[in-house]
Amino acid sequence: MAFQSFEFLALFLGLLVLYWTLPHVVRNPLLLAASYVFYGYVHPWLLFLLAGYTLLSYVSTIGIQRYPESKRPILWISVVAALSTLAVFKYFGFFVDSFGDALESIGLGRLDGGLEIFLPIGISFYTFQTIGYIVDVYRGSTTARTNPVDVALFVSFFPQLVAGPIERASRMFPQIEARRSLTPNVALDGVMLILWGFFKKLVIADNVAFIVNRIFSLQEPDFFLIWVGVLAFGIQIYADFSGYTDIARGTAKLFGIELSQNFRAPYLSRSPVDFWRRWHVSLSSWFRDYVYIPMGGARRGYYANILVLMVTFGLTGLWHGASWNFVLWGLYHGVAVQGTRMASVSRYASLLSGTIGTIVSVGITLWIVMFGWLLFREQDLGQISSVLQLDPFAASLDQIKVAWFLLGQVVVYSLPLWAFYIYEANREKLGLLISKNGVEAASALVGAAMLLAILVMNPEGNADFIYFQF
Amino acid sequence: MQRPDAIQPRLSDRSEVLGWVKLAAVLVVMVLVPVLLMHLRNTDESPGNAIRRFRQDTRFFFIGNSITETRIDPRTIISTHNGGVSVVLQNPSSQPALWYLRLKNEVVASGINPEAVVFFFRNDELTEEHRRSAPRYERQYLAYSTETEPDFDAVVANSRSLAERAEDVVDVMFPGRPETRVAVEEYLKLVGAGSAETAETLLDLSGLETGNQLGFFSLRKESDIVAGLTNETFREQLSRQLQADQLGIGGNPSGPVKPRSVDFSTEASRSFLPLILAQGTANDIPLVFVRIKHRPELDGSQPPGTVTGDYFTDLRLMIEDSGHRYADMTNVSGLTRDMYYDKDHIASESKTDYTKLILLLMTDVFTDPDLNR
């Protein structure tokens, strides 16, 4: 069920009223039932998968806690089981195709008849959340939960089920187990987050997507047009994904659950390292804690550390999709992060301090990140290579004008994102200037403006959120 | 009795109650401001302002959407029929709700007794009625309506699902959204034109003579020019794609269509088709419903439609029982793949040939009294 459907609105509003009307003891079962309706609405058989992951995490975490002497094999069996399921649904076809291509390249014929397997929506997200829980119990940083409803709700909580944030057990379980309450301020925060999320998705992302899709479907785009397309995609994917996260966070808030912040003004990052502290934080921190550090992190030698870093980023790329361009995108960011580390210890690092230095470093990082989106958006490696060979001087005046014409529109669509960055940076100062009543009045007007924009500018036939496919 | 609910004890706190009241007020303002703005912007238009008058010697009417528009060239019919007038009444993307209004309020109301009114349709378009009758299309319907349209309103009310009715509430609360969107997009085009102008000015300043004549104060003109250039850029892309598609090297990204089974009597009873048939019968106007042929696949076969075959058997029976004519063009061999612009529309260069083919295939409908005399 999509957030932007009337079915969801009906489910959400009905559930919200019922949820706060009923006593605490039935709230978790109610949320669980709603989550299963949400996930199984189109393909009910997906619920078996969700139940399977729940059973796996329930049994393995209790096993790890009850039989400490066998906790290592239990951990391995459960992690392999979770990853194998993910691999079958998401990567099987990719591995078969890649194997076939490899055979063909060495002259051993080719494999015909690729296998297409239905990709369950959100499987990468709940697989990682489940693995995180099992590993945390193994490490002793959280305890195994014995209430099956709580565990099932942890795996399937509908606002964050299909596109994150990937939550940690230590953060979610205390909230799931607590007697939750809702205050007017929190409710207003939730409503504003939902509206802002829908604004980003329906007004910014979906309209910019129209420009992006047209440009990327050109067979022979010129230099300027394709880079406008890449820039536009950078705006689209940020508005789309952070929009989803905001809707998820706002919805969860209204049920008394605080989800983690997944984006912290990523396009104001001062370096690629900083970017990964601000972009899809729940995923980057997951890879840091469950892949990078267990593989040795920075504790090993210089070259081993670079290898670990590249493996981590390669896997981060692969997590996004079963295609080599995602791996390339991950490795590109690995190189950028390693480059930042090397630059930060060079004698010129001090040049990037101060206001001008900050502006320059933000600009450079933005350029690095935007370039990376080309590798993310264009799945055909041959096409990426052709784009990189385009000659800017071969473009005609008319082509330049068309590119600028579209760029002007993309910039206008992105203005609210930059305005929000300024607001976020000055939130505390604004809070001191405006009284509480003023905040409520401002919220009402800003909310009205966002609602109006959503109703008017939301294109018919919205696309799914981009991260649903991961 | 105290309920085990975390909110209940808090409600006893006066400031908490005040907080909820304020929140409710904020939410009301959030919704009311857009409602007021949209209602202020939305000026009512008088009904029937698009209704046309026709020459009394009009012999054929073709009512439909772009499917009809790309197929019928009235001039070809005129030349073939020694000057007999034929009129194409088409609204892009329209559906039988609007076709019914145009039949009733334009053709029937004109008092002309045409030899035939022809409708081209694809799939279950004739009975799938709920799609474009939402209140957001009200302005379009109003343009072809009389003061009251009780039959039209009854069908609309009867054909909406629960989710669609919820959407209708939003449409009624916030009217005129499509028009407002168009207006906003015009401003966005101006911004785009401004940045294109900036680029051109920069190129001039950098010593590259661009021949820039317009300047910043003619943004609207620049906007039209550069929007035209943009459309041209993407039109070329579209035609290349179509070419690839014609050659069978372009895949269908959404995958093959799987026909669905339709309960014909239920769907038809909720649609505008009975009203259209009744108008024809009551006014002694022969109606012809032509099921189009989709663009043939490379092997010459027809791609699967969205509904199963039984649907068309039932549809034919319903139309013929009402004394009207049903024509199925799906097996006409003269309609070849290269005549199509896309999977349903005919290429402009094939429009004349298609019209001639239609006249030939339906000679009993399109008989020329002058020639027969």
Side-chain angles (χ1 to χ4, degrees):
Chain A
M1 190 183 290
F3 276 167
Q4 64 271 40
S5 66
F6 272 90
E7 288 88 345
F8 175 75
L9 188 68
L11 173 83
F12 169 63
L13 292 177
L15 180 67
L16 196 63
V17 171
L18 205 60
Y19 180 82
W20 290 114
T21 313
L22 292 172
H24 170 72
V25 285
V26 293
R27 285 182 189 161
N28 282 350
L30 184 67
L31 273 186
L32 178 62
S35 298
Y36 271 58
V37 169
F38 176 83
Y39 195 61
Y41 189 72
V42 179
H43 300 291
W45 66 268
L46 287 179
L47 296 178
F48 289 108
L49 196 62
L50 207 54
Y53 272 93
T54 303
L55 189 66
L56 177 73
S57 55
Y58 185 79
V59 171
S60 59
T61 50
I62 288 179
I64 286 169
Q65 198 156 284
R66 196 167 291 175
Y67 308 104
E69 67 287 356
S70 308
K71 69 177 192 174
R72 201 174 174 83
I74 297 174
L75 170 78
W76 277 108
I77 291 167
S78 50
V79 169
V80 167
L83 288 177
S84 307
T85 310
L86 177 65
V88 166
F89 280 105
K90 190 165 177 174
Y91 299 106
F92 189 73
F94 169 65
F95 288 134
V96 169
D97 286 348
S98 298
F99 182 63
D101 289 346
L103 284 182
E104 195 179 13
S105 67
I106 55 172
L108 292 176
R110 62 169 296 109
L111 292 173
D112 285 330
L115 184 62
E116 285 203 11
I117 298 176
F118 178 83
L119 178 65
I121 191 169
I123 187 169
S124 305
F125 289 92
Y126 57 76
T127 301
F128 272 39
Q129 185 158 311
T130 303
I131 292 174
Y133 171 44
I134 296 168
V135 175
D136 284 353
V137 172
Y138 170 81
R139 287 174 175 170
S141 54
T142 193
T143 53
R145 263 53 182 193
T146 51
N147 184 334
V149 173
D150 289 357
V151 175
L153 186 56
F154 168 74
V155 174
S156 66
F157 183 46
F158 75 91
Q160 45 99 225
L161 176 62
V162 292
I166 301 164
E167 290 293 347
R168 301 298 175 85
S170 55
R171 184 184 167 88
M172 280 298 275
F173 276 119
Q175 296 191 78
I176 289 173
E177 290 156 353
R179 185 177 286 264
R180 294 181 286 274
S181 63
L182 185 69
T183 65
N185 286 344
V186 172
L188 181 58
D189 273 356
V191 170
M192 293 303 282
L193 264 176
I194 292 172
L195 276 176
W196 176 229
F198 274 119
F199 181 90
K200 283 197 276 191
K201 164 66 180 160
L202 300 175
V203 178
I204 302 176
D206 284 359
N207 282 297
V208 172
F210 181 67
I211 295 173
V212 173
N213 294 341
R214 289 177 89 185
I215 292 176
F216 275 90
S217 58
L218 282 171
Q219 283 190 342
E220 290 164 10
D222 66 88
F223 177 88
F224 293 101
L225 205 53
I226 197 74
W227 287 106
V228 166
V230 172
L231 186 77
F233 180 67
I235 299 297
Q236 182 203 346
I237 194 167
Y238 172 56
D240 189 287
F241 191 19
S242 68
Y244 178 89
T245 304
D246 287 343
I247 298 168
R249 288 178 61 218
T251 307
K253 257 181 200 282
L254 292 176
F255 291 102
I257 291 177
E258 193 76 37
L259 297 180
S260 46
Q261 202 178 345
N262 226 2
F263 295 89
R264 299 191 184 108
Y267 288 161
L268 291 185
S269 304
R270 296 188 55 183
S271 68
V273 173
D274 191 25
F275 175 76
W276 284 100
R277 290 191 196 114
R278 293 161 174 262
W279 175 272
H280 202 175
V281 181
S282 63
L283 179 74
S284 54
S285 60
W286 193 98
F287 270 101
R288 182 197 61 207
D289 294 346
Y290 301 108
V291 178
Y292 178 72
I293 292 175
M295 283 202 299
R299 297 190 307 276
R300 299 195 174 181
Y302 181 74
Y303 293 106
N305 177 228
I306 293 177
L307 183 67
V308 168
L309 183 77
M310 298 313 284
V311 169
T312 305
F313 271 101
L315 290 173
T316 305
L318 192 62
W319 178 90
H320 284 83
S323 174
W324 287 110
N325 70 302
F326 290 119
V327 179
L328 191 63
W329 174 76
L331 293 175
Y332 166 79
H333 272 278
V335 170
V337 166
Q338 181 57 27
T340 311
R341 286 174 170 182
M342 289 160 74
S344 66
V345 293
S346 80
R347 70 174 83 162
Y348 304 108
S350 60
L351 289 175
L352 293 178
S353 58
T355 310
I356 294 176
T358 302
I359 293 170
V360 170
S361 54
V362 167
I364 292 172
T365 308
L366 195 57
W367 188 87
I368 292 170
V369 170
M370 288 297 170
F371 181 87
W373 291 131
L374 169 68
L375 310 177
F376 193 96
R377 175 63 172 77
E378 185 56 72
Q379 298 210 348
D380 182 350
L381 297 185
Q383 195 69 23
I384 292 172
S385 164
S386 323
V387 167
L388 295 178
Q389 289 169 37
L390 285 173
D391 177 8
F393 297 104
S396 68
L397 176 65
D398 283 353
Q399 287 173 327
I400 294 173
K401 283 175 79 171
V402 169
W404 276 76
F405 177 70
L406 296 174
L407 178 66
Q409 297 184 36
V410 172
V411 168
V412 172
Y413 275 119
S414 72
L415 285 179
L417 297 174
W418 306 109
F420 185 74
Y421 280 3
I422 295 169
Y423 162 73
E424 280 281 277
N426 298 286
R427 199 172 187 166
E428 285 186 12
K429 287 182 207 162
L430 278 171
L432 292 174
L433 288 175
I434 307 174
S435 67
K436 192 172 175 306
N437 285 344
V439 170
E440 281 152 358
S443 299
L445 293 178
V446 171
M450 286 197 288
L451 183 62
L452 189 61
I454 291 166
L455 289 164
V456 171
M457 295 308 292
N458 139 40
E460 265 192 55
N462 317 108
D464 272 345
F465 287 90
I466 293 176
Y467 265 69
F468 275 16
Q469 62 189 296
F470 307 139
Chain B
M1 190 180 80
Q2 192 179 0
R3 292 173 55 187
D5 190 327
I7 288 184
Q8 291 308 111
R10 286 175 172 273
L11 283 176
S12 59
D13 182 350
R14 270 189 65 189
S15 67
E16 194 72 20
V17 173
L18 193 64
W20 286 109
V21 172
K22 277 183 184 172
L23 176 68
V26 166
L27 295 179
V28 168
V29 170
M30 263 184 208
V31 176
L32 271 189
V33 169
V35 167
L36 285 174
L37 286 174
M38 295 306 286
H39 276 274
L40 281 175
R41 198 182 179 280
N42 189 44
T43 49
D44 276 344
E45 288 191 6
S46 54
N49 62 4
I51 289 178
R52 287 170 56 187
R53 303 276 172 264
F54 309 105
R55 278 172 52 173
Q56 285 300 311
D57 58 350
T58 306
R59 292 168 54 192
F60 301 105
F61 285 96
F62 296 85
I63 301 181
N65 49 32
S66 56
I67 295 286
T68 304
E69 199 274 332
T70 62
R71 276 173 169 71
I72 294 300
D73 176 15
R75 285 168 305 180
T76 305
I77 298 176
I78 290 167
S79 62
T80 314
H81 285 79
N82 296 334
V85 176
S86 40
V87 176
V88 176
L89 305 176
Q90 75 91 24
N91 301 76
S93 308
S94 65
Q95 292 202 305
L98 195 70
W99 305 349
Y100 160 70
L101 289 176
R102 297 203 76 169
L103 173 68
K104 179 171 100 52
N105 297 332
E106 289 191 297
V107 179
V108 172
S110 69
I112 301 168
N113 202 12
E115 286 167 40
V117 175
V118 184
F119 301 86
F120 289 89
F121 70 95
R122 55 183 160 179
N123 300 319
D124 60 341
E125 199 169 30
L126 280 178
T127 55
E128 195 196 30
E129 206 28 71
H130 53 276
R131 273 171 56 206
R132 297 217 172 94
S133 53
R136 90 189 64 140
Y137 298 103
E138 191 178 358
R139 191 170 286 200
Q140 191 184 28
Y141 291 119
L142 204 61
Y144 297 100
S145 296
T146 54
E147 288 292 340
T148 55
E149 294 286 355
D151 294 338
F152 180 93
D153 294 341
V155 175
V156 170
N158 196 25
S159 66
R160 313 288 290 162
S161 70
L162 201 61
E164 286 163 346
R165 280 168 205 263
E167 278 184 58
D168 292 351
V169 173
V170 177
D171 277 352
V172 171
M173 281 173 74
F174 308 97
R177 288 185 290 147
E179 294 86 349
T180 312
R181 181 187 169 86
V182 169
V184 173
E185 280 174 343
E186 280 301 309
Y187 283 107
L188 281 172
K189 267 166 61 181
L190 287 183
V191 174
S195 67
E197 273 284 271
T198 312
E200 210 164 350
T201 308
L202 288 174
L203 287 173
D204 268 343
L205 290 174
S206 66
L208 289 168
E209 187 56 53
T210 63
N212 186 11
Q213 303 284 319
L214 290 162
F216 277 107
F217 294 103
S218 28
L219 273 188
R220 199 164 285 280
K221 195 171 174 188
E222 174 72 11
S223 163
D224 290 342
I225 294 171
V226 78
L229 281 174
T230 309
N231 286 340
E232 204 52 49
T233 303
F234 292 110
R235 188 171 298 134
E236 203 186 321
Q237 157 217 0
L238 183 67
S239 78
R240 253 194 251 110
Q241 272 177 351
L242 286 169
Q243 219 172 359
D245 202 21
Q246 293 278 10
L247 295 168
I249 51 179
N252 178 2
S254 54
V257 180
K258 197 176 170 193
R260 65 189 172 92
S261 174
V262 170
D263 177 0
F264 179 80
S265 56
T266 309
E267 193 169 298
S269 66
R270 289 192 307 206
S271 76
F272 280 92
L273 183 59
L275 289 184
I276 292 173
L277 293 172
Q279 278 295 321
T281 308
N283 296 287
D284 202 20
I285 296 174
L287 306 180
V288 183
F289 296 89
V290 185
R291 181 187 173 194
I292 64 153
K293 179 178 183 174
H294 300 288
R295 184 183 61 201
E297 301 287 16
L298 282 174
D299 62 2
S301 65
Q302 269 289 274
T306 57
V307 281
T308 50
D310 297 349
Y311 171 89
F312 297 103
T313 312
D314 293 337
L315 179 65
R316 177 192 285 270
L317 276 175
M318 183 180 181
I319 290 169
E320 290 179 349
D321 285 352
S322 307
H324 299 287
R325 170 93 185 263
Y326 175 93
D328 189 337
M329 296 195 70
T330 50
N331 291 320
V332 175
S333 57
L335 292 170
T336 50
R337 189 176 165 84
D338 57 342
M339 292 176 78
Y340 288 76
Y341 166 74
D342 62 14
K343 66 185 176 69
D344 284 335
H345 298 87
I346 297 295
S348 55
E349 56 270 23
S350 305
K351 194 172 178 176
T352 308
D353 290 342
Y354 189 97
T355 309
K356 284 178 182 167
L357 192 64
I358 281 282
L359 295 174
L360 192 68
L361 289 168
M362 299 170 70
T363 42
D364 51 336
V365 175
F366 296 100
T367 45
D368 190 331
D370 295 331
L371 291 176
N372 292 340
R373 205 173 289 146

